[in-house]
Amino acid sequence: MNKLMASSFSRLKKSSLFWAECVCMFVFGIILVVNKYLDQVRYHSVEILDNIFFAYAMGIGFVIALFVSRFLGKDYSDGTIRNKLIVGHTRFRIYFVNLITCIVVSVILCICFLVPTLALGIPLLGTLTVRLDTILWMLLGTFLLAVAFCSIFTMFSMICSNEAGVVAAGLLLLLALFMAAAAVYAKLEAPEFITSYVLSEDGSGGLESHTEPNPKYLTESERVYYQFIYDFLPAGQAIQYTTMNAVHLWQMPLYSLIISIGTTAAGVFIFRHKDIK
């Protein structure tokens, strides 16, 4: 296990993709802070750090999907995974070492955004205005969200031998998750009443407004169901953390853990029975 871990982190240190993503997250944090500060100076508005502090939640899934699929896909394309099996490493250990490596990478990427955002954001925009316990819960939630993304894409990368196929499938899956989250959000935000305009009956050519119940407005039971889906979907969590509009802040980390455990269990089971040529 230790040799596998050392080998994996040795590969990581040599990975140009890993270092490029670290730089991108670091620069992304700087750009967001500078843009907010320039808006504050240009428009004499009050910009707060809260609005961008958790913005990495929206992008972390994409950088993780790209890294995990490329990094683990190399094991198949270079024949490394077969060599590991030949020298006696078990599939269980191989899977978990890869997962742990990817989780470490995801945490580092989050930190690469947070460090410049705090270091530059506090002097320019001031400190965060939300309560400390809320910040800590959201930090925990976003880190566990990153772990959930790692678990999902590690599963796909370990059970599929085609590196290019895994990259494409991972990005398409992520897009599908965000589209599903957006659709659920639209359902939740549907207004209770809608206003329509028709020509007035007096022949003046004016318009009369009519307010009527919205047939797409969710009932209480439907709202609970859709809110659960929105909270459970990793993309839905990413949107809520970024906008800081989480309805069930303490539940979402639990959902991320469930996703991580479920996808890891499924991934290990399939990988242990996979025919590796």
Side-chain angles (χ1 to χ4, degrees):
M1 187 81 166
N2 291 337
K3 290 183 178 180
L4 268 178
M5 193 72 72
S7 174
S8 184
F9 280 100
S10 176
R11 269 187 66 206
L12 179 62
K13 288 189 291 185
K14 299 175 184 177
S15 171
S16 57
L17 177 61
F18 166 65
W19 293 111
E21 289 192 344
C22 286
V23 171
C24 286
M25 293 297 288
F26 193 90
V27 173
F28 180 47
I30 293 175
I31 290 174
L32 288 182
V33 172
V34 171
N35 282 342
K36 282 292 182 183
Y37 177 71
L38 291 177
D39 286 344
Q40 183 171 270
V41 172
R42 188 181 298 118
Y43 303 112
H44 304 287
S45 59
V46 177
E47 302 291 343
I48 58 175
L49 188 57
D50 307 44
N51 294 336
I52 58 172
F53 189 67
F54 292 99
Y56 64 93
M58 282 290 287
I60 196 66
F62 289 94
V63 292
I64 289 175
L66 181 59
F67 173 80
V68 172
S69 55
R70 290 294 303 276
F71 187 76
L72 300 187
K74 284 287 184 183
D75 269 354
Y76 283 110
S77 59
D78 294 347
T80 310
I81 197 164
R82 185 172 52 190
N83 294 335
K84 292 176 181 178
L85 293 171
I86 291 173
V87 298
H89 295 299
T90 65
R91 298 192 182 206
F92 182 84
R93 288 182 178 179
I94 292 172
Y95 191 101
F96 270 92
V97 165
N98 285 339
L99 177 61
I100 291 170
T101 303
C102 293
I103 289 175
V104 170
V105 168
S106 69
V107 173
I108 291 174
L109 291 173
C110 292
I111 293 173
C112 283
F113 176 90
L114 291 170
V115 168
T117 304
L118 279 173
L120 194 60
I122 291 177
L124 295 181
L125 303 175
T127 57
L128 292 163
T129 61
V130 296
R131 292 169 44 180
L132 178 60
D133 59 337
T134 301
I135 295 172
L136 294 176
W137 265 112
M138 292 188 69
L139 284 173
L140 173 64
T142 52
F143 279 29
L144 288 176
L145 173 64
V147 171
F149 277 128
C150 277
S151 302
I152 292 170
F153 296 119
T154 297
M155 177 186 69
F156 276 98
S157 299
M158 294 301 291
I159 64 180
C160 181
S161 308
N162 188 312
E163 180 184 350
V166 170
V167 174
L171 293 176
L172 287 173
L173 172 63
L174 200 56
L175 287 173
L177 287 173
F178 273 99
M179 290 174 64
V184 173
Y185 177 75
K187 287 278 190 181
L188 289 169
E189 290 299 303
E192 185 175 0
F193 297 96
I194 55 176
T195 302
S196 60
Y197 295 89
V198 297
L199 288 173
S200 60
E201 298 179 354
D202 58 9
S204 63
L207 295 177
E208 293 182 351
S209 63
H210 294 274
T211 301
E212 55 189 25
N214 184 1
K216 295 183 180 180
Y217 184 73
L218 300 177
T219 63
E220 285 302 316
S221 59
E222 289 174 334
R223 185 166 297 276
V224 170
Y225 171 74
Y226 277 95
Q227 187 64 54
F228 167 75
I229 295 175
Y230 194 50
D231 292 342
F232 191 85
L233 285 172
Q237 292 186 32
I239 295 171
Q240 292 183 73
Y241 286 132
T242 300
T243 58
M244 297 188 72
N245 287 323
V247 177
H248 301 127
L249 189 58
W250 69 271
Q251 292 175 350
M252 293 195 296
L254 177 61
Y255 295 151
S256 291
L257 278 176
I258 293 172
I259 292 171
S260 299
I261 294 170
T263 52
T264 299
V268 169
F269 177 81
I270 298 173
F271 179 65
R272 292 181 70 176
H273 293 84
K274 178 179 172 61
D275 181 19
I276 300 177
K277 299 180 181 180

